[in-house]
Amino acid sequence: MKGKLAVIGLGPGFENYIIPAARQKLDEADIIVGYHKYLKLIKDLIPDKETMGTGMRKELERVQIAVEQADLGKKVCLVSSGDAGVYGMAGLALELLSGQKNINIDIEIVPGITSASSCAALLGAPLMHDFAVISLSNLLTDSDLIKKRLILAAEGDFVTVLYNPKSSKRTALLEDTVKIFLGKRKGNTPVGIVKNAYRESSSVVISTLTELPELYDQIDMTTTLIIGNSMTFQWGKFMITPRGYDLNSSASRYKQL
Ligand code: SAH
């Protein structure tokens, strides 16, 4: 039997936010491989399945296990949070396999709801115009390159989504980010802070560039930040980036509402 490897995203909060195609891969799998914390979170969805979990920063090990199992002819599901192709396991799996000669397994990447989308939905509609996604993790990317991309995103007036904004050991890049954006945008630019989206103890806050430093304590590795562009505004609990529609045009029914 030819083995199958499906790399899937579990979405932000698992269960209701896993797309049906990914759910089907979980149901069909002989074995599910992932970060043990995620396997624990989906344990009710996969009650009788064989699983193999590894710890944080053991991504390569997880991919190797998944490939080995698929090589044995099994149906393997390798899981990431959010979308597996956004700072997830999909790229690593394909990179590893691309360097090998005799691969005899079917590989499929199944999309998931990435944090940018899920956190944006909780905030309202901040991503209605061009946006950039930048990870502040400097584990695999040089800090200078991260800062260069932040400067360019700020200059380009992109709405900017920040993944991995801060860890317990690393806050400097978040501080740099605020300085960089304050150099290019108004202090009252809205910043959405979403922690644990669609999970227990989730929180959604809209702050501003100027006030963000007061909230550093609340920001951690389960948080995604969305910095608005020059047009983004707050309406009650919502953060909105206008697309540019003219609400007062003669074709608009707005006035009648
Ligand atoms: N593949 C994932 C991203 C992994 S990088 C995806 O597509 O979403 C890990 C970062 O994702 C975290 O540091 C955080 O910024 C973000 N993240 C993941 N899950 C989240 C959640 N439930 N709520 C808010 N941010 C989340």
Side-chain angles (χ1 to χ4, degrees):
M1 267 272 285
K2 198 172 177 189
K4 289 183 195 294
L5 173 63
V7 190
I8 71 163
L10 297 172
F14 318 114
E15 188 109 37
N16 291 341
Y17 296 92
I18 302 176
I19 74 162
R23 191 69 185 259
Q24 198 180 334
K25 295 290 177 200
L26 286 174
D27 291 344
E28 289 169 2
D30 299 313
I31 177 163
I32 298 164
V33 183
Y35 175 34
H36 52 60
K37 190 177 127 188
Y38 298 152
L39 294 177
K40 208 164 150 195
L41 286 165
I42 57 167
K43 70 176 186 330
D44 292 344
L45 301 180
I46 49 168
D48 304 316
K49 294 282 177 186
E50 185 185 353
T51 59
M52 269 196 193
T54 71
M56 225 162 59
R57 300 204 192 159
K58 298 279 183 207
E59 290 85 1
L60 193 54
E61 202 175 293
R62 287 202 279 284
V63 171
Q64 278 162 342
I65 292 171
V67 170
E68 276 163 24
Q69 293 292 315
D71 257 338
L72 296 174
K74 295 188 192 172
K75 286 186 192 144
V76 183
C77 206
L78 177 62
V79 301
S80 275
S81 72
D83 183 312
V86 181
Y87 311 118
M89 304 297 289
L92 185 56
L94 291 179
E95 264 188 80
L96 187 93
L97 288 164
S98 71
Q100 294 184 14
K101 281 209 178 79
N102 300 314
I103 301 298
N104 191 29
I105 55 177
D106 286 332
I107 308 157
E108 190 180 349
I109 313 295
V110 181
I113 302 174
T114 191
S115 301
S117 296
S118 53
C119 296
L122 289 170
L123 288 162
L127 304 184
M128 285 294 294
H129 217 294
D130 301 340
F131 64 95
V133 175
I134 299 175
S135 165
L136 294 191
S137 170
N138 58 1
L139 281 177
L140 301 169
T141 307
D142 193 65
S143 297
D144 287 339
L145 179 59
I146 297 173
K147 280 191 244 175
K148 182 176 174 185
R149 289 181 175 158
L150 289 165
I151 292 167
L152 293 171
E155 276 179 5
D157 200 28
F158 286 95
V159 174
T160 304
V161 185
L162 301 175
Y163 283 54
N164 301 299
K166 184 177 153 247
S167 73
S168 49
K169 294 189 207 104
R170 172 178 60 75
T171 53
L173 271 164
L174 181 58
E175 291 165 19
D176 292 337
T177 305
V178 171
K179 277 191 210 127
I180 289 168
F181 277 79
L182 276 174
K184 305 284 174 194
R185 281 179 214 181
K186 289 192 204 131
N188 64 357
T189 301
V191 180
I193 306 164
V194 181
K195 195 165 165 171
N196 283 313
Y198 297 99
R199 295 183 196 166
E200 250 174 62
S201 71
S202 79
S203 85
V204 181
V205 171
I206 301 176
S207 180
T208 61
L209 273 178
T210 315
E211 284 165 10
L212 194 60
E214 289 163 34
L215 301 175
Y216 282 164
D217 286 353
Q218 295 179 28
I219 298 170
D220 62 16
M221 287 304 271
T222 66
T223 313
T224 296
L225 302 185
I226 301 185
I227 304 175
N229 70 12
S230 57
M231 305 300 286
T232 306
F233 65 98
Q234 183 176 354
W235 173 55
K237 62 176 186 160
F238 295 118
M239 182 172 164
I240 305 163
T241 301
R243 177 83 197 278
Y245 294 108
D246 179 3
L247 301 185
N248 294 309
S249 76
S250 52
S252 166
R253 300 179 61 224
Y254 173 67
K255 290 186 198 108
Q256 299 163 28
L257 297 176

